Amino acid sequence: MAILMDGKALAEKRRGEIALKAEKLKELGVEPALAVILVGDDPASELYVRNKHKACERCGIKSLQYALPADTTREQLDALVDELNADPSVSGILIQSPLPKGLPEREIVARISPDKDVDAFHPENVGRIMRGDYLMRPCTPAGVMDFFEEYDIPLAGKEAVVVGRSDIVGKPMAMLLLQANATVTICHSKTADLGEVTRRADVLVVAVGRAGLIRGDMIKPGACVIDVGMNRVDGKFVGDVAFDEAEKVAGYITPVPGGVGPMTVTELMENTVTAAAAQNGIKL
Ligand code: NDP
């Protein structure tokens, strides 16, 4: 039976460490603050924003929320981003995805000052991830790397397979694994024989959004399986990995919920504190 990698427990431990850093910053006269912009009234987005607010409270980070109506114009959103960019009391800015149709998300994200881009989605920060000289890592891949560290999962020289190639999870995940000296393969919807590739993985990270895509017989015995997927099936959240089958084959596995999710929000807190420190020339 696989060892369960407990994201809730790890997140709580990490949030305690982040709270200490936030405390230190406050002693130096800097209050880390995260501005979250929510446009429209998507219930899932509202839930995510509430979770971020709670995490801020836990970590001693000031939480600023901007809830804008669905008919907000590009000009209005740009103006808010400009105002937050210019405000020295704001450490990090996050635009909750997805934006309503008609608002060009990539362009608006690119307007955030790179040093306040705590999602690390700005093209400059994406480039920094490619080069390996980043200050902040995208939150979900960073949270996954935390699991490897916490559970002493070796990466150097190992076969790592990432399923999914999105800009926010799959691609940066592959870059971080590459920097950790894994041999990395990225799979996607056009991959000819997914199982043939995933069975080679010592470390398998799945970020697709399809419940049960990865079956037990697609996993190498003893592998470390990280399930990023979040799918609602019959009112319950499940991942992309068929958990009951996978836990019998894998060496380590993350549950859904309670795996990667809490770590993603935790890394957002880490980035906010990192951004606040860097903006004030403080080394934590
Ligand atoms: P996207 O929809 O942006 O990307 C999905 C990727 O999966 C694409 O690259 C797509 O390939 C690939 N894919 C689709 N079908 C298959 C298939 N049959 N076999 C192999 N690959 C396939 O999703 P995201 O990366 O944004 O999110 C992925 C999942 O992770 C979602 O369930 C999301 O909810 C969850 N998530 C969870 C987070 C957390 O904190 N727990 C944070 C972020 C996301 P192609 O490029 O060819 O279309």
Side-chain angles (χ1 to χ4, degrees):
M1 269 313 206
I3 292 172
L4 196 71
M5 300 170 102
D6 185 344
K8 269 194 194 160
L10 181 54
E12 187 43 40
K13 177 177 157 189
R14 294 277 290 109
R15 287 179 196 191
E17 293 162 4
I18 296 164
L20 291 177
K21 291 188 200 173
E23 201 51 53
K24 187 175 165 196
L25 281 174
K26 281 186 219 164
E27 281 165 15
L28 295 168
V30 174
E31 182 177 28
L34 173 65
V36 175
I37 304 173
L38 173 65
V39 186
D41 48 14
D42 174 48
S45 293
E46 285 172 355
L47 175 69
Y48 294 142
V49 169
R50 273 202 301 281
N51 284 342
K52 285 166 188 165
H53 176 70
K54 274 195 219 153
C56 279
E57 281 187 334
R58 166 70 183 94
C59 295
I61 294 170
K62 188 172 177 184
S63 166
L64 306 163
Q65 296 194 25
Y66 298 85
L68 307 180
D71 61 357
T72 298
T73 63
R74 164 84 192 267
E75 290 69 28
Q76 288 167 327
L77 198 47
D78 281 351
L80 176 58
V81 170
D82 290 350
E83 187 189 317
L84 296 170
N85 279 340
D87 184 343
S89 72
V90 173
S91 326
I93 305 168
L94 177 146
I95 295 172
Q96 184 61 49
S97 178
L99 285 175
K101 277 202 180 74
L103 289 173
E105 198 160 317
R106 277 188 165 196
E107 288 172 36
I108 293 164
V109 165
R111 201 170 177 102
I112 297 175
S113 170
D115 67 335
K116 296 191 177 187
D117 167 40
V118 282
D119 259 338
F121 294 164
H122 187 286
E124 185 177 315
N125 289 326
V126 173
R128 285 182 171 276
I129 297 294
M130 286 287 291
R131 296 203 320 194
D133 68 349
Y134 47 80
L135 187 64
M136 296 178 281
R137 303 174 296 178
C139 301
T140 301
V144 173
M145 295 305 283
D146 280 352
F147 278 112
F148 298 141
E149 200 185 317
E150 178 71 12
Y151 288 85
D152 285 327
I153 307 296
L155 296 174
K158 298 294 177 185
E159 291 280 345
V161 173
V162 179
V163 188
R165 57 173 164 182
S166 70
D167 291 339
I168 63 166
V169 188
K171 285 182 199 163
M173 185 74 250
M175 282 300 127
L176 295 185
L177 285 163
L178 192 59
Q179 276 151 29
N181 295 318
T183 301
V184 184
T185 307
I186 308 174
C187 301
H188 45 76
S189 67
K190 307 291 186 293
T191 297
D193 185 346
L194 185 60
E196 187 267 321
V197 184
T198 58
R199 268 189 294 276
R200 296 204 301 259
D202 300 304
V203 168
L204 177 61
V205 182
V206 190
V208 171
R210 271 183 168 222
L213 176 71
I214 303 296
R215 317 294 313 191
D217 64 2
M218 296 164 78
I219 295 169
K220 180 177 178 176
C224 174
V225 179
I226 307 280
D227 191 352
V228 179
M230 282 269 256
N231 311 289
R232 198 184 264 276
V233 176
D234 300 332
K236 276 175 58 182
F237 277 116
V238 296
D240 292 341
V241 176
F243 186 87
D244 293 348
E245 295 177 16
E247 70 169 344
K248 295 190 180 85
V249 188
Y252 294 83
I253 191 165
T254 58
V256 177
V260 175
M263 289 309 299
T264 295
V265 185
T266 301
E267 282 299 331
L268 177 65
M269 302 298 113
E270 172 76 28
N271 283 348
T272 304
V273 167
T274 300
Q279 286 154 23
N280 291 280
I282 297 169
K283 268 207 169 353
L284 283 174

